[in-house]
Amino acid sequence: MNKKLLIVDDQTGIRILLTEVFNAEGYTTFQASNGRLALEIVKKEAPDLVLLDMKIPGMDGLDILRHIKQMDESIKVIMMTAYGELDMIKETTELGVLEHFTKPFDIDELRIAVNNQFLAPNERRFG
């Protein structure tokens, strides 16, 4: 089964890099540079996993996350942020975020984290 991955980041370079990495992993990828577009893609494509940047102009990652979870609670979310705000991490975890990556992140660690979300718990790899 083809897994769908939505990449939400206002930085074009990061979206392109992550799209290339996850297309090579065999995922169908979608990109959004803002919250409005991200929510349109969630509604239309129902991605299995969203890589969501916290700081997005217009609608921040927390707002986007709340809307995604209202639309479909089962969509998995991994947050990416350049900011290590503990209160934000606590709140996003309470809203169901699985993992947090601080920019600049290690692309291999992120790739492993995404792949692990699509494996059964007893198949998950580390490192």
Side-chain angles (χ1 to χ4, degrees):
M1 183 164 77
N2 200 0
K3 296 293 185 182
K4 294 192 248 183
L5 179 67
L6 170 58
I7 299 158
V8 185
D9 198 304
D10 60 320
Q11 294 179 304
T12 305
I14 288 178
R15 288 196 318 274
I16 291 170
L17 171 67
L18 295 177
T19 296
E20 289 176 359
V21 166
F22 292 112
N23 281 346
E25 292 286 313
Y27 300 114
T28 299
T29 57
F30 304 93
Q31 295 183 39
S33 58
N34 61 58
R36 184 188 51 75
L37 185 56
L39 296 176
E40 285 175 18
I41 293 169
V42 168
K43 191 178 211 173
K44 185 178 172 200
E45 300 293 342
D48 300 289
L49 178 69
V50 178
L51 291 176
L52 179 58
D53 188 29
M54 180 48 68
K55 298 295 181 191
I56 304 252
M59 183 188 303
D60 73 14
L62 201 51
D63 291 332
I64 298 168
L65 173 62
R66 285 190 187 107
H67 286 295
I68 289 171
K69 290 299 186 175
Q70 285 172 352
M71 293 164 77
D72 184 347
E73 185 70 33
S74 71
I75 294 175
K76 297 176 179 188
V77 179
I78 292 176
M79 295 295 303
M80 304 177 294
T81 182
Y83 307 88
E85 299 150 331
L86 291 174
D87 55 337
M88 175 276 302
I89 290 173
K90 182 178 184 295
E91 190 168 356
T92 60
T93 301
E94 289 170 358
L95 288 167
V97 168
L98 301 165
E99 294 191 56
H100 297 83
F101 281 83
T102 303
K103 293 177 180 177
F105 47 77
D106 181 310
I107 194 68
D108 283 326
E109 287 179 14
L110 184 60
R111 184 181 54 76
I112 289 166
V114 168
N115 287 336
N116 278 340
Q117 292 306 322
F118 293 122
L119 296 173
N122 62 340
E123 296 177 312
R124 294 192 176 162
R125 295 183 302 269
F126 302 92

